[in-house]
Amino acid sequence: MSLKLPGSDYGVAEHAHRYSRVARLMPHAEWDAHYELVASIEALKRKRNAVVLAHNYQRPEIFHGVADVQGDSLALARWAAQSEADVVVMCGVHFMAETVKLLAPDRTVLIPDAQAGCSLADSITAEDVLAMRARHPGAPVVCYVNTSAAVKAASDISCTSANAVQVVESLGTPEVIFVPDQYLAAYVAARTRVRIHAWRGRCEVHERFTGDQVRDYQQLTKAFVLAHPECPEDVQQAADYVGSTSGMIDALHRHRPARAVLITECSMSDNVCSAFPETEFVRPCNLCPHMQRITLQNIRDCLQRMTSEIEIPRTFDIAARRTVQSMLELDGARRA
Ligand code: 13P
Ligand code: SF4
């Protein structure tokens, strides 16, 4: 291992220091194998005045190795709106990078693999939203942030799993159209009197979990079960806690369980386990194939070549930005 790469302040000491974040996951030799790439990325970040954002489902060597900001969709969107970096690299899926571009239109926004999509976002088009509006005249449209910019442009306000109930209730209408996740819609419907007209989209990762699985974990391992609201309703009903990825982290801080199962994409347990040394994580492994397309190699390549750059077509960028900004304004007012 060389001591320092040219143009990088990142050296062996810093690399060894960061190992404490992943010590529960990989042997030292495996972490050391990432050194050259991590050091190259750190040097490129300085050269480009770039920041790296990573969703909670990214691989640990990305999440703990090169990310400047980590979090759920809402936290990353909020951060993007305030960023002063020239270049933002979104380590996540395409709709997340589009959201960053909508909120930071004058920055260069890169995604390391433009094919990193989302089965949920792909389940609906802008035309589908217009057809739902025609079926439910007068009902406003709330779109989950897991949608394309075109779908956002056809909607009234976006939400994430962290604020979906508040967004629905903020509209003050007796009914809303909620797209595209049917299970998140069920989660909201169980917590509000507003009538929800849901699109029947599902996430290919979360729909695989079952209520029987949750009960087995509870009985056999005595673990505290935390589930994402993209999981089917029987999973949500059986779980001890249901919430967004950041909500799960907050719940772990509050409960400090001896054993926990996160019913969600399994990189998340890897990423949070170092913050909860007293908790044993039982790890059912459902990986999101789209999130896993992002690697240290393609992050390095994207910063070197400045590809793939996110562009929002002019035909809908103003409307899509308004939809996301409405959510952030509501969120800001709620937090003030
Ligand atoms: P969060 O908004 O909870 O981070 O989840 C995003 C996502 O894609 C879940 O599958
Ligand atoms: Fe989309 Fe599901 Fe992957 Fe999240 S986990 S990015 S909802 S496919």
Side-chain angles (χ1 to χ4, degrees):
M1 187 159 66
S2 61
L3 272 181
K4 253 180 207 177
L5 292 190
S8 173
D9 277 348
Y10 190 80
V12 171
E14 175 60 18
H15 195 68
H17 173 69
R18 289 188 195 179
Y19 178 66
S20 62
R21 304 170 188 174
V22 293
R24 282 177 84 181
L25 299 173
M26 58 179 88
H28 220 303
E30 187 182 334
W31 182 242
D32 285 350
H34 295 305
Y35 173 75
E36 296 286 344
L37 277 169
V38 173
S40 308
I41 291 166
E42 292 297 339
L44 285 160
K45 275 159 60 175
R46 284 166 65 88
K47 180 173 166 194
R48 307 278 191 208
N49 188 24
V51 288
V52 173
L53 271 50
H55 186 261
N56 291 326
Y57 296 164
Q58 288 295 292
R59 299 160 189 266
E61 63 270 22
I62 295 173
F63 191 88
H64 290 300
V66 296
D68 300 293
V69 185
Q70 301 113 326
D72 69 354
S73 308
L74 181 58
L76 298 179
R78 267 196 217 119
W79 190 90
Q82 290 160 8
S83 158
E84 286 184 359
D86 295 323
V87 177
V88 181
V89 178
M90 180 68 226
C91 298
V93 293
H94 199 267
F95 75 80
M96 294 179 176
E98 276 191 341
T99 306
V100 171
K101 184 67 184 176
L102 287 170
L103 293 171
D106 53 343
R107 313 293 141 70
T108 301
V109 178
L110 304 175
I111 184 162
D113 185 334
Q115 302 303 313
C118 167
S119 63
L120 191 51
D122 288 346
S123 74
I124 190 163
T125 64
E127 291 69 32
D128 294 326
V129 174
L130 297 181
M132 281 193 89
R133 279 194 194 274
R135 280 201 295 281
H136 306 286
V141 179
V142 177
C143 69
Y144 191 24
V145 73
N146 297 38
T147 44
S148 66
V151 166
K152 288 186 176 78
S155 305
D156 296 296
I157 186 166
S158 66
C159 73
T160 72
S161 51
N163 61 16
V165 177
Q166 290 82 358
V167 168
V168 164
E169 297 210 321
S170 75
L171 297 169
T173 54
E175 53 183 347
V176 303
I177 296 165
F178 191 96
V179 301
D181 188 70
Q182 70 178 83
Y183 298 130
L184 180 61
Y187 169 87
V188 174
R191 288 161 179 81
T192 180
R193 296 165 76 92
V194 178
R195 183 157 179 232
I196 307 290
H197 302 291
W199 181 253
R200 301 193 72 75
R202 294 183 298 275
C203 156
E204 68 187 83
V205 178
H206 291 88
E207 71 173 342
R208 298 214 295 270
F209 295 105
T210 65
D212 283 344
Q213 238 179 323
V214 171
R215 282 182 284 277
D216 281 350
Y217 283 125
Q218 286 162 329
Q219 278 157 21
L220 300 174
T221 70
K222 307 285 176 242
F224 186 66
V225 177
L226 304 97
H228 195 278
E230 286 173 19
C231 294
E233 281 153 278
D234 61 338
V235 172
Q236 298 188 28
Q237 279 151 13
D240 300 300
Y241 170 84
V242 184
S244 69
T245 54
S246 61
M248 289 187 208
I249 296 171
D250 293 346
L252 286 170
H253 278 295
R254 282 195 307 278
H255 293 273
R256 298 268 164 195
R259 203 172 273 164
V261 187
L262 304 186
I263 303 293
T264 189
E265 214 271 0
C266 56
S267 306
M268 167 113 184
S269 306
D270 292 346
N271 290 333
V272 303
C273 70
S274 60
F276 300 95
E278 73 284 18
T279 301
E280 180 193 342
F281 286 86
V282 182
R283 298 172 200 205
C285 208
N286 278 358
L287 284 167
C288 171
H290 314 290
M291 288 279 179
Q292 296 301 311
R293 292 184 84 107
I294 310 301
T295 62
L296 287 177
Q297 282 87 344
N298 57 29
I299 297 171
R300 193 261 327 266
D301 295 349
C302 106
L303 275 165
Q304 236 161 25
R305 301 176 194 150
M306 296 296 281
T307 58
S308 297
E309 189 172 350
I310 300 289
E311 301 285 358
I312 312 284
R314 287 226 175 135
T315 39
F316 45 74
D317 80 331
I318 293 172
R321 183 169 305 116
R322 187 213 59 227
T323 297
V324 182
Q325 270 169 347
S326 301
M327 170 185 78
L328 287 190
E329 279 158 22
L330 176 74
D331 196 59
R334 200 162 54 94
R335 283 148 51 94

